[in-house]
C-alpha cells in the first residue's frame, strides 16, 4: 500500500539524518494510521534504533521530553517532532509504567509493545515500505480496534489501554474487536490504578470525535464509565417524559454531546453534563432544581478529573443556566436580568449552542427560533449601552461656553454634537485636552 499523504518535510529530514548516521528510522503510530486512512496527520512521530543521547547529538534543537521512555523532541523550522527509541517493555508491575524500559535495535520488538494493531504500523519513506507485523492494514479496512497480542495480557500491563480503545473507536468511527472488548471487564482493577490526568487527556480526545457517543457507550458497556464517570453512569435508565424525550437521561446526554459543535470542548462538556442532576432530583417525570444540583455535581467531577479552573467555571455556569426560558413578552429589563443571571453577555453564544444541542437530542418538534429573536434583542441592548452620548464626552457645555466666550444657546449644542461625531470616528480624541483644543477651532 502506498502512503498517499505528503510527509511533512521536517519528518523526512529527521529520518534521512538518522539513517545517514547509520541508524534505522521510521514513521510510526498515529501519522501512519491516519495517512493510510487518507487523513492528514496532526503530528508526525518517528521511531529509531538510535539511543536518546545519540538522537540529541544529531540535532541542534533537541529537548529530552521523556528521556526515561526514550523520547526526544526535535524542533525544526516547520514544527516539532517526537523521536522515540525502539523499546520493548516487557514487565509492568503496577499497571501503569513499564518496570524496565528496554531499548532495542529491533523495530519488530518496538511494534509489538504498541497498543493496537492500527497504531503498530511503521513506514519507511525512503523505500515506501510498510512494516505491519500485526495486520494493522487489515484492521484499518475492517474498521477494527484490536490489541497487539492477547487483550487480557495487554490490558493488565496498562490500565489506560481499555479507555484508549474506546477513545480510538470514537475518534476513528471504528468498532472494538469482540475479543478486545470482552477483555475490558476483567481489567477494571488495573484501570482503577491509572492516574486521573491520563483519563482527562483521553476524555478530551474522545470529546473531539465526530461522535463521542461511540466511545462513551463502549465505556458504559464494558464497565469503564462506572469508574471514570460514575455520575454519567447513574443516568442510565432514568426515564423522562416521553412527549419530550424518546431517550433516558444517559442517552439524551450522549446525543446532546454529539450534537454540540465538534470543535467546542466547553459546549461538548456542558452538553454531556447538563442533566447530571436529574437522577437525584427525579420525582415522577419532574426534575425540579436539577440544573443547580447538576452544576454542583459537574464542579466536583471536573475538579476530580483535573480540568482547569477556567474550563470548570465555564461548564458549571452553562449547566447551571441551561434551563433558561424566553418569551417575546419580556421587557428589556428582563433581557438585561437574563444576561446578568447567566454571568454576562460573553456566555450567551455557548449557552445558545448548548440549548440547540439539547433540543436536537429531544423530540424534533420544539425548535429554537426564539433564540434568534432573543439574540437580536441582546445585540440591540448591548449596542445601546455601548453607544456614546454627548454626556460621555470629556468636556461639557460649560467648557464650550467658557472657551469660546459665548452664552447658552443652540451653538453650544451644535459644537457638542460635532465633537461627538469626531469622537465616534476616532474614540481616542475623547481626551479633555484634545477636545478643549478642538473647541478653540470653532471660534
Ligand atoms: P493521536 O492521533 O490521537 O495522537 P496516536 O496514535 O498518535 O493518536 P498517541 O497517544 O499520541 O496516539 O500515542 C502514539 C503512539 O504510541 C500510538 O500510536 C501507539 O503506537 C503508542 N502508544 C501510546 N500509548 C500507548 C500505551 N498506553 N500502550 C501502548 N502503546 C501506546
Ligand atoms: Mg499522537
Amino acid at each position: 500500500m502506498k502512503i498517499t499523504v505528503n510527509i511533512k518535510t521536517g519528518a523526512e529530514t529527521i529520518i534521512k539524518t538518522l539513517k545517514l548516521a547509520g541508524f534505522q528510522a521510521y514513521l510510526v503510530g498515529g501519522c501512519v494510521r491516519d495517512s493510510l486512512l487518507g487523513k492528514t496527520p496532526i503530528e508526525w512521530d518517528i521511531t529509531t534504533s538510535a539511543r536518546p543521547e545519540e538522537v540529541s547529538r544529531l540535532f541542534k534543537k533537541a529537548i529530552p521530553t521523556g528521556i526515561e521512555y526514550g523520547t526526544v523532541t526535535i524542533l525544526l523550522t516547520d514544527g516539532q517532532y517526537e523521536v522515540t527509541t525502539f523499546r520493548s517493555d516487557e514487565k509492568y508491575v503496577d499497571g501503569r509504567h513499564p518496570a524496565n524500559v528496554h531499548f532495542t535495535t529491533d523495530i519488530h520488538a518496538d511494534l509489538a509493545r504498541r497498543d493496537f494493531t492500527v497504531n503498530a504500523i511503521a513506514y519507511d519513506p525512503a523505500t515506501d515500505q510498510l512494516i505491519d507485523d500485526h495486520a494493522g492494514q487489515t484492521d484499518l479496512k475492517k474498521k477494527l480496534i484490536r490489541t497487539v497480542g492477547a487483550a487480557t495480557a495487554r490490558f493488565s500491563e496498562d490500565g489506560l489501554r481499555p479507555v484508549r480503545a474506546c477513545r480510538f473507536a470514537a475518534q476513528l468511527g471504528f468498532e472494538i474487536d469482540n475479543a478486545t472488548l470482552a477483555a475490558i471487564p476483567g481489567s477494571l482493577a488495573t484501570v482503577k490504578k491509572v492516574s486521573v490526568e491520563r483519563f482527562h487527556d483521553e476524555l478530551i480526545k474522545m470529546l473531539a470525535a465526530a461522535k463521542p457517543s461511540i466511545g462513551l457507550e463502549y465505556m458504559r458497556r464494558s464497565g469503564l464509565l462506572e469508574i471514570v464517570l460514575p455520575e454519567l453512569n447513574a443516568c442510565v435508565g432514568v426515564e423522562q417524559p416521553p412527549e419530550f424525550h424518546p431517550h433516558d437521561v444517559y442517552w439524551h446526554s450522549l446525543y446532546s454531546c454529539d450534537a454540540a459543535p465538534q470543535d467546542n470542548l466547553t459546549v461538548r462538556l456542558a452538553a454531556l453534563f447538563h442533566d447530571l442532576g436529574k437522577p437525584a432530583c427525579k420525582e415522577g417525570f419532574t426534575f425540579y432544581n436539577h440544573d443547580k444540583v447538576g452544576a454542583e455535581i459537574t464542579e466536583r467531577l471536573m475538579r476530580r478529573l483535573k480540568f482547569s479552573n477556567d474550563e470548570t467555571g465555564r461548564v458549571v455556569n452553562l449547566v447551571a443556566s441551561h434551563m433558561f426560558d424566553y418569551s417575546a413578552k419580556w421587557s428589556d429589563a428582563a433581557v438585561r436580568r437574563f444576561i446578568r443571571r447567566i454571568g454576562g453577555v460573553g456566555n450567551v453564544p455557548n449557552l445558545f449552542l448548548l440549548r440547540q444541542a439539547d433540543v436536537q437530542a429531544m423530540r424534533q418538534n420544539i425548535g429554537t427560533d426564539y433564540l434568534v429573536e432573543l439574540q437580536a434583542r441582546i445585540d440591540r441592548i448591548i449596542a445601546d449601552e455601548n453607544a456614546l452620548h454627548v454626556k460621555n464626552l470629556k468636556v461639557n457645555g460649560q467648557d464650550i461656553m467658557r472657551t469660546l466666550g459665548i452664552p447658552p444657546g443652540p451653538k453650544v449644542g451644535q459644537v457638542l454634537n460635532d465633537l461627538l461625531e469626531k469622537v465616534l470616528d476616532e474614540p481616542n480624541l475623547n481626551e479633555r485636552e484634545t477636545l478643549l483644543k478642538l473647541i478653540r477651532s470653532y471660534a
Side-chain angles (χ1 to χ4, degrees):
M1 198 188 289
K2 249 209 169 299
I3 296 252
T4 46
V5 173
N6 288 331
I7 292 152
K8 220 172 155 189
T9 44
E12 226 164 354
T13 310
I14 292 172
I15 290 178
K16 275 192 193 135
T17 307
L18 287 163
K19 284 189 163 180
L20 272 176
F23 301 106
Q24 305 163 61
Y26 301 91
L27 288 168
V28 73
C31 65
V32 177
R33 178 196 70 221
D34 290 346
S35 296
L36 289 168
L37 289 171
K39 300 189 225 173
T40 306
I42 308 157
E43 35 177 46
W44 297 86
D45 293 335
I46 293 152
T47 185
T48 181
S49 59
R51 297 298 173 97
E53 3 14 295
E54 293 168 323
V55 175
S56 298
R57 232 176 283 135
L58 285 170
F59 299 92
K60 269 204 212 85
K61 287 188 185 158
I63 305 160
T65 38
I67 206 78
E68 71 274 39
Y69 295 115
T71 302
V72 176
T73 299
I74 309 284
L75 304 179
L76 296 182
T77 46
D78 72 341
Q80 57 179 51
Y81 299 85
E82 288 205 343
V83 179
T84 304
T85 305
F86 295 165
R87 275 161 40 189
S88 65
D89 312 325
E90 264 135 35
K91 290 195 198 72
Y92 283 69
V93 282
D94 60 355
R96 287 189 292 179
H97 309 290
N100 237 319
V101 173
H102 181 71
F103 294 138
T104 148
T105 54
D106 179 7
I107 177 67
H108 304 285
D110 182 81
L111 295 179
R113 62 107 184 152
R114 291 178 183 270
D115 49 6
F116 303 108
T117 62
V118 295
N119 289 344
I121 308 173
Y123 176 69
D124 180 348
T127 61
D128 197 30
Q129 295 287 317
L130 291 166
I131 304 180
D132 182 11
D133 297 339
H134 307 283
Q137 291 171 90
T138 312
D139 288 340
L140 280 178
K141 280 195 205 100
K142 291 203 247 173
K143 294 176 170 270
L144 271 187
I145 301 300
R146 191 164 59 86
T147 50
V148 170
T152 312
R154 301 313 307 285
F155 288 165
S156 72
E157 291 169 357
D158 179 356
L160 189 68
R161 287 178 189 153
V163 179
R164 284 173 62 83
C166 301
R167 187 262 281 190
F168 283 116
Q171 184 177 322
L172 302 171
F174 282 21
E175 283 180 23
I176 300 178
D177 158 74
N178 285 335
T180 297
L181 185 61
I184 298 180
S187 71
L188 297 180
T190 320
V191 174
K192 289 187 185 143
K193 297 181 192 164
V194 174
S195 68
V196 284
E197 285 84 354
R198 296 178 80 205
F199 288 137
H200 171 269
D201 294 351
E202 292 300 324
L203 187 62
I204 282 180
K205 288 188 176 180
M206 196 184 286
L207 291 184
K211 282 192 185 170
S213 61
I214 296 175
L216 292 161
E217 171 61 2
Y218 271 127
M219 287 182 67
R220 184 197 66 77
R221 280 172 59 189
S222 58
L224 291 167
L225 199 66
E226 177 61 47
I227 295 171
V228 181
L229 287 174
E231 300 88 346
L232 185 59
N233 204 57
C235 298
V236 174
V238 177
E239 298 298 338
Q240 315 194 73
E243 62 273 30
F244 301 119
H245 286 281
H247 315 292
D248 65 7
V249 176
Y250 166 75
W251 279 108
H252 171 69
S253 305
L254 263 57
Y255 288 140
S256 298
C257 184
D258 285 357
Q262 190 174 353
D263 59 357
N264 189 329
L265 176 65
T266 305
V267 177
R268 281 225 153 159
L269 286 163
L272 189 61
F273 299 155
H274 76 284
D275 277 345
L276 288 182
K278 277 191 169 174
C281 297
K282 183 171 166 68
E283 276 178 48
F285 274 156
T286 60
F287 303 92
Y288 176 70
N289 211 30
H290 78 271
D291 41 357
K292 302 295 174 275
V293 173
E296 286 162 21
I297 296 174
T298 299
E299 171 141 28
R300 277 197 301 274
L301 177 169
M302 289 185 71
R303 295 220 179 284
R304 183 182 75 237
L305 287 179
K306 302 273 195 298
F307 280 90
S308 71
N309 289 340
D310 283 355
E311 190 72 290
T312 304
R314 283 191 292 267
V315 174
V316 168
N317 177 63
L318 287 168
V319 173
S321 309
H322 85 270
M323 289 296 285
F324 75 92
D325 58 2
Y326 170 71
S327 145
K329 289 190 214 120
W330 278 16
S331 64
D332 280 1
V335 176
R336 274 194 213 95
R337 276 196 298 275
F338 165 75
I339 297 173
R340 200 162 348 114
R341 204 161 49 236
I342 67 165
V345 73
N347 294 328
V348 170
N350 279 347
L351 186 62
F352 284 13
L353 289 169
L354 173 61
R355 172 59 57 88
Q356 281 159 342
D358 189 1
V359 167
Q360 273 189 61
M362 294 183 196
R363 293 208 185 277
Q364 287 299 311
N365 55 10
I366 296 171
T368 52
D369 290 348
Y370 59 93
L371 292 180
V372 178
E373 184 182 317
L374 177 52
Q375 181 74 63
R377 294 189 64 186
I378 292 170
D379 290 347
R380 194 173 42 67
I381 286 171
I382 299 302
D384 286 353
E385 279 173 3
N386 288 342
L388 277 177
H389 295 283
V390 168
K391 64 180 188 300
N392 302 123
L393 291 173
K394 297 273 168 67
V395 290
N396 57 27
Q398 293 294 334
D399 296 315
I400 292 171
M401 289 185 276
R402 210 178 313 114
T403 310
L404 296 178
I406 56 169
K411 170 97 181 177
V412 178
Q414 277 166 22
V415 174
L416 278 174
N417 280 326
D418 215 61
L419 291 175
L420 178 63
E421 286 303 318
K422 292 197 162 77
V423 167
L424 285 174
D425 285 343
E426 227 180 297
N428 56 12
L429 292 180
N430 196 14
E431 294 298 335
R432 192 167 165 76
E433 286 310 311
T434 317
L435 292 178
L436 287 174
K437 234 180 263 160
L438 276 171
I439 292 171
R440 279 177 218 121
S441 70
Y442 290 90

